[in-house]
Amino acid sequence: MADLYPSITQTAVLATALKVLLWPAYKSTDFEVHRNWLAITNSLPVKDWYYETTSEWTLDYPPFFAYFEWLLSQAAYYVDPAMLKIENLQYQNWQTVYFQRSTVMATDLMLAFALYKHVQASPTALQKNSHAVAISILLSPALLIIDHIHFQYNGFLYGILILSMVSARKQSTMLLGGLLFAALLCFKHIYLYLAPAYFMYLLRAYCLSQKSMFRIRFGNCVKLASGLVSIFGAAFGPFWYLAQEDQVLSRLFPFSRGLCHAYWAPNVWAMYSFTDRVLIYVAPKVGLPVDQAALNSVTRGLVGDSSFAVLPNISPKTTFLLTLFFQTLCLVKLFFQPTWETFVGAVTLCGYASFLFGWHVHEKAILLVIIPFSLLALKDRRYLSAFRPLAVAGHVSLFPLLFTAAEFPVKAVYTVFWLILFLLVFDRLAPVSSRPRVFLLDRFSLLYITVSIPLVIYCSLIHQLSFGPKYEFLPLMFTSSYSAIGVVGSWIGFSVVYFTL
């Protein structure tokens, strides 16, 4: 790995320097969310953590993340004890801002370490490609926008995810991979969407004999079960002992929220919502009924509000069944072909299914697809053709998270530079596939990327200059719908590649 340049360490230092410059940048309500969690875990006994309601931003992550916030609060006390007072809502002096920003940067070390291990674990002939992928993830515009401007800790968590997938590559460390993923679930429960792929892979490749699926490896089953019980016991045990399991679960899974998040995440329901908007104007001319009470529903994009004016409303059960169906398809192949690459492909497709068909999907959840797919993007040119529209759509869909003028050059220039640089590099590195490429997918990728440029210019500049505050939802609708086409197209392309290997 000595001849790989720039090294992951050098890249991490460069990325950190940029992130320091962004400390004064815009920060979302997530900044106050995490400050409040610092205060809750530092000021209150464990028994009160999941009951505290002084702030509307109550603790709704699993216990390991609460313990993580408690650890950070021990250092926060020496920076500014006032940030740890629960009643100090919206407390944002410079010490607090710099402390919280620096903790995100510090925990990014987990991502850098995981990417280093990924390159190290790759076969010698593939290390150059793995290194390029690692650098692209480390410099990801998505992580820069979400973590270091908007404010979250995704780099740390995706570092654990990548490390778990890398560990699952070898039989000797497969148990560690499964236990790392279990720990990840206890940090953030959104990764449950990927759990079916881990379950099937560990069942087939670790718990059952490689020579015969009918021979159970009881020793491995005991080790895996013991590890899982220990991890989940460490996370949820104290709350089970306090008889608070129902309260914790109610915080983790608030099913009262609506189908669509704050604005439409670029998935099937964004396309469904867009179609409903169009049918509102078409319906009277063709005699279709229009629900007048729902006319403003999907335009406002409010949490808990997901009524449609013309098309049938979607229930949580429908989204669950669709997600389960499309996840099951890829799991069948994984069961009969339990290789590491098939496993990463199944993780990716589980991420696709949950993002495209799930209930109340956050736009930031696109990382559940981009990160694992990146590990396969350079397998050959067919994979790269499916990855290109995802890379463009996934990053463009995050632009509305930063709506202030000062951050526009950062998100636009940095993202465009990243896309040009890495898509060109990937195009040179990706080997030719032994199977025929999908002609339409190649043309779709080129056309899709071309359309993204005028779309971003219109939504970010021209619309405001032309209409001012009027029709403020149009740029969001266009961005989400356009991005949804890219994600769906990428999913179809990747599915074709996955099932024809």
Side-chain angles (χ1 to χ4, degrees), residues 454-466:
L455 177 83
V456 171
I457 293 174
Y458 172 80
C459 292
S460 300
L461 297 174
I462 296 177
H463 180 86
Q464 179 68 23
L465 294 175
S466 302

Side-chain angles (χ1 to χ4, degrees), residues 84-102:
L84 302 177
K85 294 182 179 179
I86 293 175
E87 63 274 12
N88 280 356
L89 303 182
Q90 305 298 329
Y91 188 78
Q92 295 185 8
N93 68 342
W94 70 267
Q95 292 98 328
T96 302
V97 172
Y98 289 2
F99 172 77
Q100 290 196 231
R101 294 284 198 198
S102 65

Side-chain angles (χ1 to χ4, degrees), residues 391-405:
V392 175
H395 290 96
V396 169
S397 71
L398 297 174
F399 278 14
L401 290 175
L402 306 181
F403 50 83
T404 51

Side-chain angles (χ1 to χ4, degrees), residues 23 25-38 57 69 83 90-104 147 149-153:
W23 276 1
Y26 161 82
K27 48 194 175 296
S28 72
T29 53
D30 281 339
F31 183 87
E32 169 60 16
V33 169
H34 288 281
R35 186 217 59 81
N36 184 56
W37 293 358
L38 287 174
W57 312 118
E69 292 279 6
M83 79 172 81
Q90 305 298 329
Y91 188 78
Q92 295 185 8
N93 68 342
W94 70 267
Q95 292 98 328
T96 302
V97 172
Y98 289 2
F99 172 77
Q100 290 196 231
R101 294 284 198 198
S102 65
T103 60
V104 179
D147 283 7
I149 302 178
H150 189 269
F151 195 86
Q152 280 191 0
Y153 290 90

Side-chain angles (χ1 to χ4, degrees), residues 262-264 270 273-278 280-281 295-296 298-301 396-397 399-400 454-483:
Y263 80 90
W264 307 340
S273 299
F274 179 80
T275 303
D276 188 71
R277 290 291 92 188
V278 173
I280 288 174
Y281 301 98
L295 283 179
N296 293 323
V298 291
T299 341
R300 293 198 305 272
V396 169
S397 71
F399 278 14
L455 177 83
V456 171
I457 293 174
Y458 172 80
C459 292
S460 300
L461 297 174
I462 296 177
H463 180 86
Q464 179 68 23
L465 294 175
S466 302
F467 299 104
K470 294 197 303 181
Y471 312 117
E472 62 181 355
F473 194 76
L474 277 179
L476 293 176
M477 184 175 68
F478 290 153
T479 299
S480 295
S481 300
Y482 163 82
S483 299

Side-chain angles (χ1 to χ4, degrees), residues 247-424:
Q247 175 65 18
V248 174
L249 291 176
S250 69
R251 286 284 184 88
L252 299 185
F253 303 101
F255 291 111
S256 60
R257 294 176 178 177
L259 174 67
C260 299
H261 185 47
Y263 80 90
W264 307 340
N267 59 11
V268 167
W269 308 126
M271 301 169 72
Y272 191 84
S273 299
F274 179 80
T275 303
D276 188 71
R277 290 291 92 188
V278 173
L279 288 177
I280 288 174
Y281 301 98
V282 176
K285 299 178 182 179
V286 296
L288 292 175
V290 178
D291 182 0
Q292 297 297 321
L295 283 179
N296 293 323
S297 174
V298 291
T299 341
R300 293 198 305 272
L302 299 176
V303 172
D305 178 37
S306 55
S307 298
F308 295 97
V310 180
L311 295 176
N313 287 324
I314 303 299
S315 67
K317 181 180 179 180
T318 299
T319 65
F320 173 77
L321 291 176
L322 284 171
T323 301
L324 181 63
F325 172 74
F326 285 107
Q327 287 189 340
T328 301
L329 293 180
C330 68
L331 298 181
V332 172
K333 177 176 180 177
L334 178 59
F335 183 80
F336 290 103
Q337 189 179 323
T339 65
W340 184 77
E341 289 179 345
T342 307
F343 161 63
V344 177
V347 170
T348 303
L349 284 173
C350 282
Y352 267 119
S354 60
F355 185 83
L356 289 174
F357 301 101
W359 179 265
H360 193 75
V361 175
H362 289 232
E363 60 281 352
K364 297 181 285 293
I366 191 62
L367 287 172
L368 286 173
V369 186
I370 293 177
I371 297 296
F373 195 168
S374 296
L375 303 184
L376 294 176
L378 291 182
K379 179 174 171 58
D380 61 44
R381 290 190 174 276
R382 296 204 310 161
Y383 283 86
L384 181 58
S385 294
F387 181 75
R388 284 196 196 101
L390 173 69
V392 175
H395 290 96
V396 169
S397 71
L398 297 174
F399 278 14
L401 290 175
L402 306 181
F403 50 83
T404 51
E407 280 69 40
F408 175 76
V410 176
K411 69 181 183 182
V413 174
Y414 186 84
T415 301
V416 169
F417 178 76
W418 184 93
L419 287 169
I420 293 174
L421 175 62
F422 284 103
L423 290 182
L424 287 176

Side-chain angles (χ1 to χ4, degrees), residues 51 54 71 75 112 126 139 141 159 218 242 254 353 358 370 408 447 460 471-472 487 498:
Y51 285 91
T54 300
L71 283 173
L126 300 178
L139 296 177
F218 288 102
L242 294 167
I370 293 177
F408 175 76
L447 176 63
S460 300
Y471 312 117
E472 62 181 355
V487 177
Y498 179 85

